[in-house]
Structure formats: C-alpha cells, structure tokens
Amino acid sequence: MLLKMGLQSCVFIILLVSVCGRENLLSARILSKRLANQEVNIRQEETKILDSVMGPAVYDSRIRPAGINGTDAATFVYVNIFVRSFSKIDDVKMEYSFQITMRQQWNDKRLAYKDRLKGILAERIRYLTLTDASKVWMPDTFFRNEKIGAFHTILTPNLYIRVFPDGDVLYSIRISITCACSMHLALFPLDEQTCTLDVASYGWTKNDLIYVWKGAGALQFAGNLSLPGGFKLANSTNKYCDVKTATGEYSCLRVDLVFARELSFYIVTIYVPCFMIVVVSWFSFWLDYKAVPARVALGVTTLLAMSTTMASIQKSLPPVAYTKAVDVWSGVCVFFVFSALLEYALVNYASRSDAQRAAKQKERKEKELELCAFNAEQIEDSSHTHSLDPLLRRMEGAQSVPLTSIIPSNIPSSRIAAWMKNYKFAAKKIDVLSRVCFPSCFFVFSALYWTYFLNKEQERKK
C-alpha cells in the first residue's frame, strides 16, 4: 500500500515538473519574440544624436568647418546644379530667367556621429534631415550676375539639409533667378548667345572657401526642357572663374549656356513676309501705266506694310549702335519696295514725255502735210515739171531728200535692242525692263546675303 502511494507521488511530481518546465519554456519563447518584435524609436534616437552634435556647448554655426584633416585650410564646397526650366530669354533687356535646384556639399567634422550608431541604428539611420538652415554653418554663396531672385516657399520652404554620419552636409534648395546676359546681336537672327551663371562666395576668400564642381555630372538638365522665344539650347559647359578684387581673391564657378535661335521661326515670321511684300510691289510692273490709282495704291500700301514689319522687328530688339543682319535684309527690302514706287514715278514722267512727243510729232506731220499741199499747188502752177528722182531734183536745184529717209539709221545692234524696239513708248520699255531687273537684282542680293552671314556664323563658331 505504501509502495503504491509512493509511486503515485513520484508520478505526480514528474508531471508537475514537466508541466512547469513547459510553461517556463513557453514564457521564455514569448519574451524573446516580444523583445525581437520590439522596435527601437528611431525618431527619438535621431533627436538624441542631433542634440549631442548640435548643442550650443559643442557646435557654433558661426564658425566655418575646418579644412582637410582638421587643418585650418580652406573648406571645400562641392556644387551641383540641376536646371529645371527656362521661363524667359529677353533680347531687349539682355537677361534670361530660369529655375534651378542648387546642391552644395561640404564636410563638417563637428557634426560627425558615426560612432554613435550601434547595432540596428547603423542600418536604419543613413542621414539626418533638417529644414532650418540656420542650425548649421552655411557658405555665403551668391550669384554674381543675378538681377532678381526668389526662393520657393509653397507649401513649405523648398529646401533640405542632410547631415551624414561622417560629417558631410548636403544643402539643396530650389531657386528662380533672372540673370544678366550680355548679347552681341550683329548676326541676329543667325546668331548664338552665350549666357553665364556665376556662383561665388560673397565674403570668404579662397584661403577660407573653395568651390568645386561635383563630378562629371555637376550640371544637369530636365529631360523635357524647352526654351521660350524661338531659342534652343545648343551647348552647355561648367568651368571656373576665380576673380581678384581689392579685398582678395574669391573662388567662383561658371555655367556657360549657349542659346541658338530657331532659324525656321524667323524665316517664317520675318524673311518670308518681307519677301512676299517685295514680290507684291513688283505686280505694278504688269499693270497699265495709265492706271494711276491702282499703281500708286499698290506702291504706297506695300511701302507702309514693309515699314510696319520693319518697326515690329526693331521693337523686339534693343537699340544697339551697330547694324544687325536683319537690318540689312529689311533695309534692302524697303529699298526695293521704294524703288518700285519710284519706278512708277519715272514711268509716269516717261508717259507724259511720250504724250508730248506724240503731240509734237502729230503737229509736225500736220505742218508737213500743209507744206506738201502748198508745194503741190506751187508745182501745178509752175511752168515746168520737176523730176521726182532725187538725183534729177538735185541737178535741177530742187530740195534734196535726206538719206535717212531712204536707209534707216537705227538698226538694232543686239537682241535686247531688237526686243526693246518692239515697244514704241519709253514708259512701256521701263516697265518691261523692271520686270526683269528687279527680280534679278533681288535674287542676287539674297544669294549674297545668305552666303555671307551663314559663313560668318560658322567662322564665329570655329
């Protein structure tokens, strides 16, 4: 009996121990899972890191970072510019407006926090982001040829500052600026204009601050970039433009933007309309020179149209002290239109001369007829008859007949003279000559114009 009770007690104890062991094992597993699933508060850790490296006792944003290897050498600022869009290229004001994202990066060892990243923090925290630029030291960057500039603050200020574990600071900001661009318009509209953007430090000299382009892709452009005002982006380069002033030598970066004009735009809007107006002025050569209202109205209308076109061209350009290529074209077109109007003045004068000459010839013929009638009466009354032969009349003392009345003296010496001989009046001859001379001279001018100015542009590029 006692043995039986002892066996039952042993079995109960073994069962109790096994059950309690399983419960403890289960509790340990649950605890480990809870610890594994418990996430570290990353935002709180970032706040602690920022407080530790940017506290007033350890960091002063007024002092520039040390140079390479902690020396007192110059701080290197690496710059990257991303061009987002162009809004205006103004020839009159000689300026251009565009929007960029400018990125500057430098190293500040005082902000390094790599040794504070342990375990999971080293994987989760790649950089710390700030939106207040006054918290860290910033280079005093400015644009040397800027006219107007604006930061974007909708909906929030478009900027950020990233502080990396090794102390690198990346500052990115979106800016809209209008910059001055000195343009030389002698070849307008066959020209190319090179506009610059100069980035420099306002107060730090090269002994304290040096700007460096960041890699080969330091200058970037948006993929869907388009230019206003009939321009296209022909080329772009980035280089250095360090400058010496009375206060020292300053580091400077320069962006060269080459704007080429879309020639097709100006051919359609300037050259073709001027050519059409000149051609319309030639229509008067085919109108009857007696149609005075029609020819005068056509000449004056084309001259006014050409003057209006020339004024609109000049309105879109600044008043410069030299002659532009478009001035040569529009000036010669005005000259041809005005010459067509003067040609009618000459035709009108010639027609009146023809009329006066015809009246005189008619009067002379009438006098000759009267004289012939008078001579006939004298012949009938005379006692002897004169011979009609010139030789016999000369021998008999009669009035000799001029040789030109027998052999014509105005024999045409060339085909042109023979062709012109077909037209009796001088006014008609002037119109016929103008139909050939005016188009021929204009096409010769056009060939010389395009040959000269296109070659001039190629030489300038070289």
Side-chain angles (χ1 to χ4, degrees), residues 247-283:
T247 57
E249 184 178 3
Y250 297 86
S251 178
C252 174
L253 301 179
R254 173 169 293 174
V255 176
D256 284 339
L257 301 172
V258 181
F259 300 132
R261 300 184 193 272
E262 292 282 1
L263 188 56
S264 59
F265 171 79
Y266 293 95
I267 288 177
V268 173
T269 57
I270 295 178
Y271 289 95
V272 171
C274 291
F275 173 74
M276 293 174 64
I277 294 173
V278 172
V279 172
V280 169
S281 69
W282 297 340
F283 290 172

mmCIF file of all heavy atoms in Angstrom, residues 247-283:
data_model
loop_
_atom_site.group_PDB
_atom_site.id
_atom_site.type_symbol
_atom_site.label_atom_id
_atom_site.label_comp_id
_atom_site.label_asym_id
_atom_site.label_seq_id
_atom_site.Cartn_x
_atom_site.Cartn_y
_atom_site.Cartn_z
ATOM 1 N N THR A 247 39.587 93.335 -52.233
ATOM 2 C CA THR A 247 39.535 92.701 -50.912
ATOM 3 C C THR A 247 40.090 91.287 -50.903
ATOM 4 O O THR A 247 40.080 90.636 -49.861
ATOM 5 C CB THR A 247 38.089 92.674 -50.408
ATOM 6 O OG1 THR A 247 37.265 91.981 -51.363
ATOM 7 C CG2 THR A 247 37.561 94.084 -50.221
ATOM 8 N N GLY A 248 40.562 90.792 -52.043
ATOM 9 C CA GLY A 248 41.137 89.462 -52.076
ATOM 10 C C GLY A 248 40.709 88.676 -53.306
ATOM 11 O O GLY A 248 40.027 89.179 -54.187
ATOM 12 N N GLU A 249 41.120 87.414 -53.328
ATOM 13 C CA GLU A 249 40.777 86.518 -54.430
ATOM 14 C C GLU A 249 39.682 85.569 -53.976
ATOM 15 O O GLU A 249 39.776 84.950 -52.906
ATOM 16 C CB GLU A 249 42.013 85.734 -54.873
ATOM 17 C CG GLU A 249 41.758 84.842 -56.084
ATOM 18 C CD GLU A 249 43.014 84.116 -56.540
ATOM 19 O OE1 GLU A 249 44.059 84.273 -55.880
ATOM 20 O OE2 GLU A 249 42.937 83.391 -57.560
ATOM 21 N N TYR A 250 38.647 85.453 -54.808
ATOM 22 C CA TYR A 250 37.469 84.674 -54.446
ATOM 23 C C TYR A 250 37.276 83.529 -55.429
ATOM 24 O O TYR A 250 37.503 83.676 -56.635
ATOM 25 C CB TYR A 250 36.222 85.561 -54.432
ATOM 26 C CG TYR A 250 36.268 86.658 -53.400
ATOM 27 C CD1 TYR A 250 36.875 87.879 -53.676
ATOM 28 C CD2 TYR A 250 35.718 86.458 -52.135
ATOM 29 C CE1 TYR A 250 36.931 88.882 -52.721
ATOM 30 C CE2 TYR A 250 35.755 87.459 -51.180
ATOM 31 C CZ TYR A 250 36.369 88.669 -51.472
ATOM 32 O OH TYR A 250 36.426 89.655 -50.524
ATOM 33 N N SER A 251 36.833 82.401 -54.884
ATOM 34 C CA SER A 251 36.539 81.232 -55.710
ATOM 35 C C SER A 251 35.216 81.438 -56.437
ATOM 36 O O SER A 251 34.269 82.019 -55.893
ATOM 37 C CB SER A 251 36.478 79.978 -54.840
ATOM 38 O OG SER A 251 36.162 78.846 -55.610
ATOM 39 N N CYS A 252 35.166 80.954 -57.670
ATOM 40 C CA CYS A 252 33.973 81.189 -58.496
ATOM 41 C C CYS A 252 33.774 80.025 -59.452
ATOM 42 O O CYS A 252 34.740 79.487 -60.003
ATOM 43 C CB CYS A 252 34.122 82.505 -59.275
ATOM 44 S SG CYS A 252 32.795 82.839 -60.455
ATOM 45 N N LEU A 253 32.518 79.647 -59.652
ATOM 46 C CA LEU A 253 32.130 78.628 -60.627
ATOM 47 C C LEU A 253 31.270 79.301 -61.691
ATOM 48 O O LEU A 253 30.470 80.186 -61.390
ATOM 49 C CB LEU A 253 31.346 77.499 -59.965
ATOM 50 C CG LEU A 253 32.037 76.734 -58.835
ATOM 51 C CD1 LEU A 253 31.102 75.667 -58.290
ATOM 52 C CD2 LEU A 253 33.329 76.106 -59.299
ATOM 53 N N ARG A 254 31.427 78.859 -62.933
ATOM 54 C CA ARG A 254 30.681 79.462 -64.034
ATOM 55 C C ARG A 254 29.980 78.389 -64.868
ATOM 56 O O ARG A 254 30.573 77.360 -65.193
ATOM 57 C CB ARG A 254 31.594 80.296 -64.922
ATOM 58 C CG ARG A 254 30.947 80.825 -66.198
ATOM 59 C CD ARG A 254 31.805 81.855 -66.881
ATOM 60 N NE ARG A 254 31.912 83.069 -66.071
ATOM 61 C CZ ARG A 254 32.691 84.100 -66.361
ATOM 62 N NH1 ARG A 254 33.450 84.059 -67.463
ATOM 63 N NH2 ARG A 254 32.727 85.156 -65.580
ATOM 64 N N VAL A 255 28.735 78.680 -65.220
ATOM 65 C CA VAL A 255 27.958 77.847 -66.137
ATOM 66 C C VAL A 255 27.767 78.641 -67.424
ATOM 67 O O VAL A 255 27.267 79.768 -67.392
ATOM 68 C CB VAL A 255 26.595 77.468 -65.538
ATOM 69 C CG1 VAL A 255 25.775 76.677 -66.554
ATOM 70 C CG2 VAL A 255 26.777 76.672 -64.263
ATOM 71 N N ASP A 256 28.190 78.080 -68.539
ATOM 72 C CA ASP A 256 28.004 78.703 -69.850
ATOM 73 C C ASP A 256 26.849 78.013 -70.565
ATOM 74 O O ASP A 256 26.891 76.790 -70.798
ATOM 75 C CB ASP A 256 29.273 78.599 -70.703
ATOM 76 C CG ASP A 256 30.333 79.588 -70.261
ATOM 77 O OD1 ASP A 256 29.981 80.587 -69.605
ATOM 78 O OD2 ASP A 256 31.526 79.369 -70.551
ATOM 79 N N LEU A 257 25.832 78.783 -70.905
ATOM 80 C CA LEU A 257 24.662 78.278 -71.627
ATOM 81 C C LEU A 257 24.629 78.934 -72.999
ATOM 82 O O LEU A 257 24.534 80.169 -73.096
ATOM 83 C CB LEU A 257 23.374 78.591 -70.864
ATOM 84 C CG LEU A 257 23.277 78.027 -69.443
ATOM 85 C CD1 LEU A 257 22.054 78.585 -68.740
ATOM 86 C CD2 LEU A 257 23.249 76.512 -69.457
ATOM 87 N N VAL A 258 24.730 78.137 -74.042
ATOM 88 C CA VAL A 258 24.745 78.643 -75.414
ATOM 89 C C VAL A 258 23.336 78.505 -75.983
ATOM 90 O O VAL A 258 22.838 77.395 -76.176
ATOM 91 C CB VAL A 258 25.770 77.891 -76.284
ATOM 92 C CG1 VAL A 258 25.769 78.462 -77.705
ATOM 93 C CG2 VAL A 258 27.163 77.986 -75.670
ATOM 94 N N PHE A 259 22.710 79.652 -76.251
ATOM 95 C CA PHE A 259 21.361 79.689 -76.799
ATOM 96 C C PHE A 259 21.445 79.971 -78.294
ATOM 97 O O PHE A 259 21.942 81.029 -78.701
ATOM 98 C CB PHE A 259 20.522 80.768 -76.118
ATOM 99 C CG PHE A 259 20.367 80.576 -74.636
ATOM 100 C CD1 PHE A 259 20.575 81.621 -73.757
ATOM 101 C CD2 PHE A 259 20.017 79.343 -74.122
ATOM 102 C CE1 PHE A 259 20.432 81.454 -72.397
ATOM 103 C CE2 PHE A 259 19.873 79.148 -72.763
ATOM 104 C CZ PHE A 259 20.083 80.211 -71.888
ATOM 105 N N ALA A 260 20.969 79.052 -79.100
ATOM 106 C CA ALA A 260 20.912 79.232 -80.559
ATOM 107 C C ALA A 260 19.464 79.495 -80.959
ATOM 108 O O ALA A 260 18.533 78.917 -80.389
ATOM 109 C CB ALA A 260 21.451 78.000 -81.273
ATOM 110 N N ARG A 261 19.295 80.347 -81.931
ATOM 111 C CA ARG A 261 17.945 80.680 -82.372
ATOM 112 C C ARG A 261 17.428 79.642 -83.369
ATOM 113 O O ARG A 261 18.184 79.132 -84.187
ATOM 114 C CB ARG A 261 17.920 82.077 -83.015
ATOM 115 C CG ARG A 261 18.369 83.175 -82.083
ATOM 116 C CD ARG A 261 18.227 84.539 -82.729
ATOM 117 N NE ARG A 261 18.929 85.534 -81.948
ATOM 118 C CZ ARG A 261 18.412 86.207 -80.924
ATOM 119 N NH1 ARG A 261 17.155 85.981 -80.591
ATOM 120 N NH2 ARG A 261 19.126 87.098 -80.254
ATOM 121 N N GLU A 262 16.146 79.375 -83.257
ATOM 122 C CA GLU A 262 15.480 78.504 -84.220
ATOM 123 C C GLU A 262 15.281 79.285 -85.513
ATOM 124 O O GLU A 262 14.378 80.134 -85.615
ATOM 125 C CB GLU A 262 14.148 78.012 -83.676
ATOM 126 C CG GLU A 262 14.256 77.063 -82.494
ATOM 127 C CD GLU A 262 14.625 75.651 -82.922
ATOM 128 O OE1 GLU A 262 14.802 75.435 -84.146
ATOM 129 O OE2 GLU A 262 14.732 74.781 -82.052
ATOM 130 N N LEU A 263 16.128 79.054 -86.515
ATOM 131 C CA LEU A 263 16.101 79.850 -87.736
ATOM 132 C C LEU A 263 14.775 79.717 -88.473
ATOM 133 O O LEU A 263 14.304 80.678 -89.096
ATOM 134 C CB LEU A 263 17.261 79.441 -88.651
ATOM 135 C CG LEU A 263 17.481 80.307 -89.894
ATOM 136 C CD1 LEU A 263 17.681 81.764 -89.501
ATOM 137 C CD2 LEU A 263 18.663 79.790 -90.692
ATOM 138 N N SER A 264 14.157 78.553 -88.406
ATOM 139 C CA SER A 264 12.879 78.359 -89.094
ATOM 140 C C SER A 264 11.816 79.320 -88.567
ATOM 141 O O SER A 264 10.969 79.803 -89.330
ATOM 142 C CB SER A 264 12.413 76.917 -88.921
ATOM 143 O OG SER A 264 12.262 76.593 -87.542
ATOM 144 N N PHE A 265 11.856 79.602 -87.272
ATOM 145 C CA PHE A 265 10.885 80.537 -86.678
ATOM 146 C C PHE A 265 11.035 81.920 -87.299
ATOM 147 O O PHE A 265 10.036 82.576 -87.638
ATOM 148 C CB PHE A 265 11.105 80.598 -85.163
ATOM 149 C CG PHE A 265 10.314 81.666 -84.466
ATOM 150 C CD1 PHE A 265 8.972 81.486 -84.182
ATOM 151 C CD2 PHE A 265 10.905 82.865 -84.097
ATOM 152 C CE1 PHE A 265 8.236 82.482 -83.546
ATOM 153 C CE2 PHE A 265 10.193 83.857 -83.466
ATOM 154 C CZ PHE A 265 8.851 83.661 -83.182
ATOM 155 N N TYR A 266 12.263 82.388 -87.473
ATOM 156 C CA TYR A 266 12.487 83.728 -88.007
ATOM 157 C C TYR A 266 12.306 83.769 -89.524
ATOM 158 O O TYR A 266 11.949 84.814 -90.067
ATOM 159 C CB TYR A 266 13.883 84.210 -87.629
ATOM 160 C CG TYR A 266 14.025 84.435 -86.147
ATOM 161 C CD1 TYR A 266 14.549 83.449 -85.318
ATOM 162 C CD2 TYR A 266 13.606 85.617 -85.569
ATOM 163 C CE1 TYR A 266 14.660 83.642 -83.953
ATOM 164 C CE2 TYR A 266 13.711 85.830 -84.207
ATOM 165 C CZ TYR A 266 14.241 84.839 -83.406
ATOM 166 O OH TYR A 266 14.336 85.028 -82.047
ATOM 167 N N ILE A 267 12.543 82.657 -90.198
ATOM 168 C CA ILE A 267 12.270 82.619 -91.638
ATOM 169 C C ILE A 267 10.773 82.787 -91.895
ATOM 170 O O ILE A 267 10.354 83.520 -92.795
ATOM 171 C CB ILE A 267 12.793 81.302 -92.241
ATOM 172 C CG1 ILE A 267 14.329 81.324 -92.293
ATOM 173 C CG2 ILE A 267 12.231 81.097 -93.644
ATOM 174 C CD1 ILE A 267 14.938 80.053 -92.805
ATOM 175 N N VAL A 268 9.960 82.141 -91.059
ATOM 176 C CA VAL A 268 8.506 82.214 -91.236
ATOM 177 C C VAL A 268 7.955 83.568 -90.810
ATOM 178 O O VAL A 268 7.032 84.102 -91.432
ATOM 179 C CB VAL A 268 7.824 81.070 -90.452
ATOM 180 C CG1 VAL A 268 6.305 81.221 -90.467
ATOM 181 C CG2 VAL A 268 8.222 79.726 -91.034
ATOM 182 N N THR A 269 8.516 84.159 -89.758
ATOM 183 C CA THR A 269 7.946 85.385 -89.203
ATOM 184 C C THR A 269 8.586 86.669 -89.732
ATOM 185 O O THR A 269 7.979 87.740 -89.611
ATOM 186 C CB THR A 269 8.088 85.376 -87.671
ATOM 187 O OG1 THR A 269 9.476 85.229 -87.319
ATOM 188 C CG2 THR A 269 7.297 84.238 -87.071
ATOM 189 N N ILE A 270 9.785 86.596 -90.326
ATOM 190 C CA ILE A 270 10.462 87.816 -90.787
ATOM 191 C C ILE A 270 10.781 87.747 -92.279
ATOM 192 O O ILE A 270 10.338 88.583 -93.071
ATOM 193 C CB ILE A 270 11.750 88.072 -89.978
ATOM 194 C CG1 ILE A 270 11.408 88.373 -88.514
ATOM 195 C CG2 ILE A 270 12.537 89.225 -90.580
ATOM 196 C CD1 ILE A 270 12.620 88.599 -87.636
ATOM 197 N N TYR A 271 11.545 86.733 -92.678
ATOM 198 C CA TYR A 271 12.084 86.712 -94.035
ATOM 199 C C TYR A 271 11.003 86.473 -95.091
ATOM 200 O O TYR A 271 10.972 87.157 -96.121
ATOM 201 C CB TYR A 271 13.189 85.655 -94.147
ATOM 202 C CG TYR A 271 14.448 86.055 -93.410
ATOM 203 C CD1 TYR A 271 14.689 85.625 -92.117
ATOM 204 C CD2 TYR A 271 15.390 86.877 -94.008
ATOM 205 C CE1 TYR A 271 15.838 85.998 -91.434
ATOM 206 C CE2 TYR A 271 16.544 87.255 -93.340
ATOM 207 C CZ TYR A 271 16.761 86.815 -92.058
ATOM 208 O OH TYR A 271 17.893 87.194 -91.382
ATOM 209 N N VAL A 272 10.141 85.511 -94.852
ATOM 210 C CA VAL A 272 9.090 85.218 -95.832
ATOM 211 C C VAL A 272 8.111 86.388 -95.980
ATOM 212 O O VAL A 272 7.781 86.775 -97.113
ATOM 213 C CB VAL A 272 8.363 83.912 -95.469
ATOM 214 C CG1 VAL A 272 7.133 83.707 -96.343
ATOM 215 C CG2 VAL A 272 9.311 82.726 -95.622
ATOM 216 N N PRO A 273 7.609 87.010 -94.891
ATOM 217 C CA PRO A 273 6.723 88.172 -95.082
ATOM 218 C C PRO A 273 7.389 89.321 -95.835
ATOM 219 O O PRO A 273 6.756 89.946 -96.704
ATOM 220 C CB PRO A 273 6.374 88.586 -93.643
ATOM 221 C CG PRO A 273 6.508 87.334 -92.858
ATOM 222 C CD PRO A 273 7.649 86.605 -93.480
ATOM 223 N N CYS A 274 8.654 89.600 -95.532
ATOM 224 C CA CYS A 274 9.345 90.673 -96.257
ATOM 225 C C CYS A 274 9.482 90.331 -97.737
ATOM 226 O O CYS A 274 9.272 91.193 -98.611
ATOM 227 C CB CYS A 274 10.719 90.917 -95.640
ATOM 228 S SG CYS A 274 10.669 91.640 -93.984
ATOM 229 N N PHE A 275 9.814 89.094 -98.032
ATOM 230 C CA PHE A 275 9.934 88.665 -99.432
ATOM 231 C C PHE A 275 8.601 88.778 -100.161
ATOM 232 O O PHE A 275 8.538 89.237 -101.319
ATOM 233 C CB PHE A 275 10.457 87.232 -99.478
ATOM 234 C CG PHE A 275 10.467 86.632 -100.854
ATOM 235 C CD1 PHE A 275 11.401 87.019 -101.797
ATOM 236 C CD2 PHE A 275 9.521 85.680 -101.219
ATOM 237 C CE1 PHE A 275 11.411 86.472 -103.068
ATOM 238 C CE2 PHE A 275 9.516 85.123 -102.483
ATOM 239 C CZ PHE A 275 10.465 85.520 -103.415
ATOM 240 N N MET A 276 7.517 88.400 -99.497
ATOM 241 C CA MET A 276 6.197 88.477 -100.128
ATOM 242 C C MET A 276 5.802 89.925 -100.404
ATOM 243 O O MET A 276 5.223 90.232 -101.457
ATOM 244 C CB MET A 276 5.157 87.792 -99.232
ATOM 245 C CG MET A 276 5.342 86.296 -99.110
ATOM 246 S SD MET A 276 4.210 85.544 -97.921
ATOM 247 C CE MET A 276 2.649 85.882 -98.708
ATOM 248 N N ILE A 277 6.117 90.836 -99.484
ATOM 249 C CA ILE A 277 5.784 92.244 -99.706
ATOM 250 C C ILE A 277 6.561 92.796 -100.897
ATOM 251 O O ILE A 277 6.022 93.540 -101.716
ATOM 252 C CB ILE A 277 6.070 93.054 -98.430
ATOM 253 C CG1 ILE A 277 5.123 92.634 -97.313
ATOM 254 C CG2 ILE A 277 5.933 94.550 -98.693
ATOM 255 C CD1 ILE A 277 5.438 93.257 -95.966
ATOM 256 N N VAL A 278 7.833 92.401 -101.009
ATOM 257 C CA VAL A 278 8.642 92.858 -102.145
ATOM 258 C C VAL A 278 8.073 92.320 -103.450
ATOM 259 O O VAL A 278 7.976 93.047 -104.452
ATOM 260 C CB VAL A 278 10.108 92.432 -101.958
ATOM 261 C CG1 VAL A 278 10.918 92.726 -103.213
ATOM 262 C CG2 VAL A 278 10.725 93.149 -100.764
ATOM 263 N N VAL A 279 7.683 91.065 -103.470
ATOM 264 C CA VAL A 279 7.124 90.471 -104.687
ATOM 265 C C VAL A 279 5.811 91.151 -105.064
ATOM 266 O O VAL A 279 5.547 91.415 -106.250
ATOM 267 C CB VAL A 279 6.922 88.950 -104.494
ATOM 268 C CG1 VAL A 279 6.158 88.358 -105.673
ATOM 269 C CG2 VAL A 279 8.268 88.252 -104.353
ATOM 270 N N VAL A 280 4.975 91.473 -104.072
ATOM 271 C CA VAL A 280 3.710 92.156 -104.370
ATOM 272 C C VAL A 280 3.975 93.526 -104.985
ATOM 273 O O VAL A 280 3.233 93.977 -105.877
ATOM 274 C CB VAL A 280 2.871 92.277 -103.081
ATOM 275 C CG1 VAL A 280 1.684 93.210 -103.288
ATOM 276 C CG2 VAL A 280 2.365 90.904 -102.648
ATOM 277 N N SER A 281 5.041 94.198 -104.536
ATOM 278 C CA SER A 281 5.345 95.510 -105.117
ATOM 279 C C SER A 281 5.720 95.411 -106.587
ATOM 280 O O SER A 281 5.602 96.406 -107.327
ATOM 281 C CB SER A 281 6.480 96.170 -104.334
ATOM 282 O OG SER A 281 7.711 95.487 -104.540
ATOM 283 N N TRP A 282 6.169 94.234 -107.024
ATOM 284 C CA TRP A 282 6.516 94.063 -108.442
ATOM 285 C C TRP A 282 5.286 93.909 -109.339
ATOM 286 O O TRP A 282 5.405 94.000 -110.557
ATOM 287 C CB TRP A 282 7.416 92.841 -108.623
ATOM 288 C CG TRP A 282 8.738 92.961 -107.915
ATOM 289 C CD1 TRP A 282 9.342 94.095 -107.488
ATOM 290 C CD2 TRP A 282 9.607 91.883 -107.557
ATOM 291 N NE1 TRP A 282 10.532 93.815 -106.882
ATOM 292 C CE2 TRP A 282 10.737 92.453 -106.911
ATOM 293 C CE3 TRP A 282 9.565 90.502 -107.707
ATOM 294 C CZ2 TRP A 282 11.788 91.684 -106.428
ATOM 295 C CZ3 TRP A 282 10.607 89.730 -107.235
ATOM 296 C CH2 TRP A 282 11.708 90.312 -106.591
ATOM 297 N N PHE A 283 4.126 93.640 -108.755
ATOM 298 C CA PHE A 283 2.927 93.461 -109.573
ATOM 299 C C PHE A 283 2.588 94.724 -110.350
ATOM 300 O O PHE A 283 1.928 94.661 -111.395
ATOM 301 C CB PHE A 283 1.735 93.075 -108.687
ATOM 302 C CG PHE A 283 1.847 91.684 -108.113
ATOM 303 C CD1 PHE A 283 0.942 91.243 -107.155
ATOM 304 C CD2 PHE A 283 2.844 90.817 -108.521
ATOM 305 C CE1 PHE A 283 1.037 89.960 -106.628
ATOM 306 C CE2 PHE A 283 2.949 89.537 -107.989
ATOM 307 C CZ PHE A 283 2.051 89.116 -107.044
#
